């Protein structure tokens, strides 16, 4: 009886080990749109059912601040869907672990860290857009803007909402893009003029477009992905891509230092795969893997041509200085948190 019992106990131990392995939980910090989290997890689990993703989701600035605050006691295993400039900031702080995912060489050079092994990998690009509610515009006799400079015109006073750059990656890409496009002095002067027309600064990059879609505001400075989705859902929106060029950011993924588990590596391997890039292309017209992207409804035909030459290194290195100056000038119109 002892021998069969011994074998049974050994078998039970093996089964328990396999069960634990088959139910690995991975804590993933993200700024992906909340309604897309289930879809991303389901697509990943089609190939890796043995890993359960535990999402921690908030806007870009809040997730970035949380990761920095947890520097000495990291709780995230990985990041999947956060601004590239945020990951560069985390990289400067020594919070990321280098890892070369399988197939990373297939990504465009712009979408992978130049270190070997890379500390982050790109996913897709999101770009600025103006969400213009045609019904509200008619009520208030507003003409559609065609440029960023147009938004400083007196006719738009109290009709514009835009994201707060300290909490929203979209807000920061707008501010850093204006400073790069116009030069720092003229960029701040532009934002002084724009501030006169701002109704509120929101703590979400998608909220200004949602507010424009619902009629809470006539104009929302947001990003094209959210505008295209709201328009497809029937909102009376016109998507406007200003003539001076569009600020943009890349979404990216990384492993948190000291959390380099096999499951985190598996996630990064999948995040750079062709299947993952096809997933990103369902909402974004520009993805990291060349040759994958197909046109996305309501986006311009050649979106890359509208993007500014964004210096991500400069944007990441100057983030604290820029945000401090922005808040000292414009914080009075920030929405309550």
């Amino acid at each position: 009886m002892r021998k069969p019992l011994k074998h049974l106990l050994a078998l039970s131990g093996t089964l328990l080990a396999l069960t634990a392995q088959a139910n690995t939980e991975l804590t993933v910090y993200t700024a992906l749109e909340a309604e897309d989290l289930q879809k991303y997890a389901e697509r990943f689990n089609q190939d890796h059912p043995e890993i359960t993703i535990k999402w921690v989701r908030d806007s870009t600035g809040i997730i970035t601040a949380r990761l920095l605050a947890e520097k000495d006691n990291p709780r995230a295993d990985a990041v999947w869907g956060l601004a590239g400039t945020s990951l560069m900031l985390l990289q400067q702080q020594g919070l990321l672990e280098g890892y070369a995912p399988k197939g990373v060489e297939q990504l465009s050079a712009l979408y992978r860290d130049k270190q070997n092994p890379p500390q982050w990998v790109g996913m897709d690009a999101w770009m600025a857009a103006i969400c213009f509610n045609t019904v509200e515009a008619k009520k208030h006799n507003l003409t559609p803007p065609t440029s960023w400079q147009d938004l400083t015109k007196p006719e738009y006073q109290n009709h514009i909402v835009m994201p707060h750059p300290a909490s929203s990656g979209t807000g920061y890409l707008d501010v850093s893009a204006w400073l790069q496009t116009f030069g720092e002095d003229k960029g701040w002067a532009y934002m002084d003029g724009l501030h006169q027309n701002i109704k509120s600064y929101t703590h979400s990059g998608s909220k200004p477009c949602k507010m424009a879609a619902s009629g809470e505001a006539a104009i929302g400075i947001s990003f094209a992905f959210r505008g295209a989705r709201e328009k497809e859902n029937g909102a009376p929106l016109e998507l406007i891509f200003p003539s001076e060029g569009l600020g943009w950011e890349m979404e990216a993924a990384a492993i948190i230092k000291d959390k380099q588990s096999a499951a985190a590596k598996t996630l990064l391997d999948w995040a750079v795969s062709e299947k993952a890039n096809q997933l990103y292309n369902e909402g974004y017209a520009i993805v990291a893997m060349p040759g994958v992207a197909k046109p996305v409804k309501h986006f311009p035909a050649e979106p890359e041509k509208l993007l500014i030459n964004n210096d991500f290194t400069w944007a990441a290195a100057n983030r604290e200085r820029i945000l401090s100056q922005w808040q000292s000038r414009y914080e009075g119109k920030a929405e309550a948190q």
Side-chain angles (χ1 to χ4, degrees):
M1 291 296 289
R2 290 182 182 176
K3 196 168 184 179
L5 180 59
K6 187 177 181 180
H7 287 308
L8 183 59
L9 289 172
L11 178 60
S12 297
T14 302
L15 289 173
L16 285 171
L18 288 172
T19 301
Q21 185 179 5
N23 291 281
T24 301
E25 186 176 83
L26 197 65
T27 299
V28 179
Y29 281 23
T30 189
L32 291 168
E33 292 295 281
E35 64 264 41
D36 288 336
L37 297 184
Q38 183 177 349
K39 178 174 73 171
Y40 275 62
E42 286 178 349
R43 298 287 180 86
F44 172 69
N45 284 145
Q46 287 173 4
D47 294 327
H48 298 286
E50 75 282 4
I51 299 171
T52 299
I53 292 178
K54 178 185 175 184
W55 295 110
V56 175
R57 192 267 168 199
D58 215 313
S59 58
T60 298
I62 294 171
I63 288 292
T64 305
R66 182 167 181 166
L67 286 161
L68 288 168
E70 295 172 359
K71 178 178 180 179
D72 295 328
N73 183 28
R75 298 179 184 177
D77 295 306
V79 173
W80 189 20
L82 190 65
T85 49
S86 288
L87 288 179
M88 291 175 194
L89 178 62
L90 298 176
Q91 180 179 8
Q92 292 168 8
Q93 296 293 318
L95 295 179
L96 303 183
E97 191 77 52
Y99 174 63
K102 297 171 185 174
V104 68
E105 69 280 353
Q106 297 182 53
L107 302 186
S108 172
L110 182 62
Y111 289 84
R112 58 180 189 264
D113 178 33
K114 292 179 174 59
Q115 289 192 29
N116 187 20
Q119 293 202 347
W120 53 263
V121 290
M123 299 159 53
D124 51 58
W126 86 90
M127 56 196 230
I130 296 171
C131 296
F132 184 78
N133 186 305
T134 55
V135 173
E136 289 300 306
K138 190 173 182 180
K139 285 183 190 176
H140 299 286
N141 197 30
L142 304 178
T143 55
T146 62
S147 67
W148 293 119
Q149 291 290 348
D150 281 349
L151 295 181
T152 63
K153 292 179 178 178
E155 70 176 283
Y156 301 122
Q157 189 170 12
N158 208 40
H159 289 299
I160 302 173
V161 288
M162 75 162 277
H164 192 301
S167 51
S168 162
T170 303
Y172 186 65
L173 76 82
D174 286 321
V175 171
S176 62
W178 292 330
L179 294 174
Q180 291 180 69
T181 301
F182 302 135
E184 292 226 20
D185 290 343
K186 290 182 179 178
W188 288 114
Y190 166 71
M191 285 184 273
D192 288 344
L194 176 65
H195 182 67
Q196 302 306 310
N197 292 340
I198 292 290
K199 181 178 181 180
S200 68
Y201 297 103
T202 70
H203 293 290
S204 159
S206 59
K207 188 173 181 179
C209 198
K210 291 178 180 178
M211 292 176 69
S214 66
E216 294 178 73
I219 298 171
I221 298 174
S222 189
F223 57 105
F225 168 85
R226 176 48 62 182
R229 179 168 287 185
E230 297 293 338
K231 185 175 177 69
E232 184 64 16
N233 289 338
L237 291 181
E238 179 182 345
L239 266 63
I240 296 171
F241 302 99
S243 57
E244 299 98 331
L246 308 178
W248 63 287
E249 255 279 19
M250 72 176 82
E251 287 188 308
I255 295 174
I256 300 301
K257 194 168 186 178
D258 300 326
K259 293 284 188 173
Q260 196 171 14
S261 66
K265 291 181 180 179
T266 298
L267 177 66
L268 266 288
D269 289 343
W270 198 88
V272 304
S273 68
E274 183 173 351
K275 185 179 287 188
N277 276 263
Q278 290 169 349
L279 167 63
Y280 309 148
N281 185 221
E282 291 177 14
Y284 296 90
I286 304 170
V287 298
M289 186 175 288
V292 170
K294 294 181 171 57
V296 176
K297 195 173 181 181
H298 307 305
F299 273 69
E302 297 180 288
E304 293 93 340
K305 292 185 177 181
L306 304 180
L307 306 181
I308 69 163
N309 184 19
N310 198 348
D311 187 339
F312 291 109
T313 302
W314 178 87
N318 288 278
R319 187 175 189 272
E320 186 175 347
R321 174 181 67 83
I322 290 169
L323 291 179
S324 177
Q325 187 167 349
W326 188 95
Q327 288 174 301
S328 71
R329 289 172 180 253
Y330 314 124
E331 188 68 21
K333 289 188 179 181
E335 69 175 359
Q337 287 184 299

